[in-house]
């Protein structure tokens, strides 16, 4: 089955062609980062308008890269939520219009299920069951995964998502959007142990997270140290390192707890923050103690992309699922509501 995948939940237009027999044939992405950078974050209206402009050229691009014609496509998978409603509607209406014109089925895919299954596109995919740490700009969740659609939420953030904490902290430090990669870059030249940030909610039991206090801690540290000198580059780097280390340690402590609780040995990390090298290293070290393994996607497939939507959609379409002709998207959509395969 050849599936066209469309992702438009936020600030990336992602398009891909995935074939159930041959694997990923092509994927193309347009990132709107430059468009939103001047505003320090995503402007929903601008995002929707840009998806409209990019979608058809990207579809043509993947068809040409895969040397396929539109007639060969068997089904269309698109992100139906969670995300920005206007942005989601662009992908949904485009998918439904093309599905109608080509007389093929369309299926709305859950964005976080896409992220969760992205490591399946790699050469050594994880086997079910596993624990998944989903860390993106909008979500921080620990999930027990027994199969596609068989998700049990173990814990999540009570306030900011991990990626959101990176982005907000970066903004306060005067860094550009998106903050995650910027903080990671500056942290490489940070001096260890100059600042020590708290590891929120790690001293009490449970698998919940809270990251909103870290940005305040970063702001207070920055204001105290800076003393009116915004050009103190080394202090900025040292704060980035201390902040990143606090996030990595906190996530690692909670992942260890989730593995102990479930008795599982394999951990999947997915979503934009799973591209973070320090997080990967921290988790790999911890998994070493467990004799377990950590799985993640290549960096391009950690952040938003069309390939993960094409892959996740393909699994569900193969099982016979598809939507009716109505165009419907959901800003909020708990993953546990998904049907098991
Ligand atoms: O999954 P994603 O592309 O979009 C959402 O579904 O939210 O994640 C974007 C988030 C942003 O908050 C961004 O700052 C963060 O992922 N991110 C990173 C890194 N790359 C992206 N955070 C930390 N380190 C990185 N290398
Ligand atoms: Zn995402």
């Amino acid at each position: 089955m050849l599936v066209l995948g469309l992702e438009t939940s936020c600030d990336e237009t992602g398009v891909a062609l995935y074939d159930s027999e041959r694997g990923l044939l092509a994927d193309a992405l347009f990132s709107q980062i430059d468009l939103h950078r001047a505003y320090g974050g995503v402007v929903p209206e601008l995002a929707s308008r840009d998806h409209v402009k990019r979608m058809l050229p990207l579809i043509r691009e993947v068809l040409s890269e895969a040397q396929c014609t539109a007639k060969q496509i068997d089904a269309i998978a698109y992100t139906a939520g969670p995300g920005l409603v206007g942005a989601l509607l662009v992908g949904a209406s485009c998918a439904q219009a093309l599905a109608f014109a080509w007389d093929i089925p369309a299926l709305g895919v859950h964005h976080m299920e896409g992220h969760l299954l992205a490591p399946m596109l790699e050469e050594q995919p994880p086997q079910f069951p596993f624990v998944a740490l989903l860390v993106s700009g909008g979500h921080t969740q620990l999930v027990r995964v027994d199969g596609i659609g068989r998700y049990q939420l173990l814990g999540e953030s009570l306030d900011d998502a991990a990626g959101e904490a990176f982005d907000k902290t970066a903004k306060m430090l005067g860094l550009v959007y998106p903050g995650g990669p910027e903080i990671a870059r500056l942290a490489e030249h940070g001096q260890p142990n100059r600042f020590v940030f708290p590891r929120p909610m790690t001293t009490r039991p449970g698998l919940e997270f809270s990251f909103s206090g870290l940005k305040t801690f970063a702001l207070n540290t920055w204001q105290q140290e800076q003393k009116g000198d915004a050009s103190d580059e080394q202090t900025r780097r040292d704060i980035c390192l201390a902040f990143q280390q606090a996030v990595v340690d906190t996530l690692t402590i909670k992942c260890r707890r989730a593995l102990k609780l479930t008795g599982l040995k394999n951990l999947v990390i997915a979503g934009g923050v799973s591209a973070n090298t320090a997080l990967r290293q921290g988790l790999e070290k911890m998994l070493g103690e467990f004799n377990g393994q950590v799985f993640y996607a290549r960096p391009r497939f950690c952040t938003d992309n069309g390939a993960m939507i094409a892959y996740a959609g393909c699994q569900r379409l193969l099982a016979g699922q598809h939507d009716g002709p109505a165009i419907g998207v959901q800003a909020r959509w708990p993953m546990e509501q998904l049907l098991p395969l």
Side-chain angles (χ1 to χ4, degrees):
M1 177 185 272
L2 180 61
V3 177
L4 174 69
L6 309 180
E7 155 62 37
T8 64
S9 68
C10 190
D11 59 348
E12 255 105 29
T13 320
V15 177
L17 278 170
Y18 179 83
D19 185 275
S20 53
E21 303 295 314
R22 292 182 291 162
L24 186 66
L25 303 186
D27 91 290
L29 187 86
F30 184 86
S31 171
Q32 304 175 355
I33 283 174
D34 291 342
L35 180 69
H36 300 290
R37 196 161 261 165
Y39 306 93
V42 179
V43 183
E45 178 63 22
L46 295 183
S48 313
R49 292 184 201 185
D50 205 61
H51 287 308
V52 173
K53 276 203 264 179
R54 308 294 167 188
M55 185 55 83
L56 293 180
L58 286 175
I59 294 175
R60 287 194 194 99
E61 193 180 319
V62 292
L63 282 170
S64 133
E65 193 188 321
Q67 298 182 323
C68 288
T69 63
K71 282 204 175 72
Q72 291 170 276
I73 297 173
D74 296 305
I76 305 180
Y78 62 95
T79 307
L84 303 170
V85 167
L88 289 166
L89 279 171
V90 178
S93 35
C94 184
Q96 290 288 14
L98 290 176
F100 181 75
W102 296 340
D103 196 21
I104 55 175
L107 176 72
V109 171
H110 193 291
H111 181 76
M112 296 313 292
E113 179 170 79
H115 275 305
L116 169 60
L117 298 178
M120 300 287 184
L121 290 163
E122 301 305 325
E123 253 174 42
Q124 291 191 320
Q127 305 283 315
F128 301 115
F130 52 76
V131 169
L133 172 70
L134 302 178
V135 268
S136 69
H139 293 77
T140 299
Q141 295 182 323
L142 273 165
V143 185
R144 180 189 165 111
V145 181
D146 286 289
I148 295 179
R150 296 173 64 200
Y151 308 131
Q152 186 195 345
L153 183 66
L154 302 171
E156 63 184 332
S157 179
L158 303 176
D159 42 56
D160 291 352
E164 190 179 359
F166 269 98
D167 294 339
K168 288 179 174 171
T169 301
K171 197 171 181 178
M172 282 175 346
L173 294 174
L175 305 176
V176 295
Y177 178 84
E182 277 300 291
I183 289 189
R185 192 174 61 79
L186 293 193
E188 279 177 30
H189 307 284
Q191 188 185 309
N193 305 322
R194 174 166 166 210
F195 303 113
V196 179
F197 279 42
R199 274 63 176 152
M201 297 184 73
T202 52
T203 50
R204 57 178 118 150
L207 295 170
E208 254 65 61
F209 304 90
S210 166
F211 289 114
S212 71
L214 283 182
K215 65 173 185 289
T216 317
F217 200 91
L219 180 65
N220 290 341
T221 311
W222 179 229
Q223 284 174 341
Q224 269 165 25
E225 290 295 318
Q226 195 183 339
K227 297 182 191 90
D229 177 13
S231 62
D232 184 355
E233 281 306 321
Q234 194 53 46
T235 295
R236 203 182 255 119
R237 294 185 195 120
D238 298 344
I239 291 177
C240 286
L241 179 60
F243 168 84
Q244 176 175 269
Q245 203 48 53
V247 175
V248 168
D249 281 357
T250 305
L251 292 172
T252 305
I253 290 167
K254 298 286 164 132
C255 285
R256 184 194 287 131
R257 260 184 219 173
L259 291 166
K260 276 204 171 132
L261 180 85
T262 55
L264 298 175
K265 288 201 178 300
N266 287 340
L267 178 73
V268 164
I269 53 170
V273 183
S274 69
N276 186 281
T277 311
L279 177 63
R280 292 174 170 201
Q281 286 169 350
L283 290 172
E284 262 154 8
K285 191 162 164 253
M286 183 270 286
L287 261 297
E289 296 165 23
F290 266 81
N291 227 354
Q293 214 182 327
V294 57
F295 297 86
Y296 39 76
R298 70 198 85 165
R300 181 179 170 83
F301 295 161
C302 289
T303 45
D304 293 349
N305 64 86
M308 66 184 195
I309 301 303
Y311 176 83
C314 184
Q315 307 315 307
R316 289 186 171 275
L317 286 153
L318 282 172
Q321 293 182 16
H322 61 83
D323 296 342
I327 295 169
V329 299
Q330 300 189 63
R332 291 179 186 279
W333 186 4
M335 243 189 13
E336 285 159 305
Q337 287 178 2
L338 294 177
L339 291 175
L341 283 200

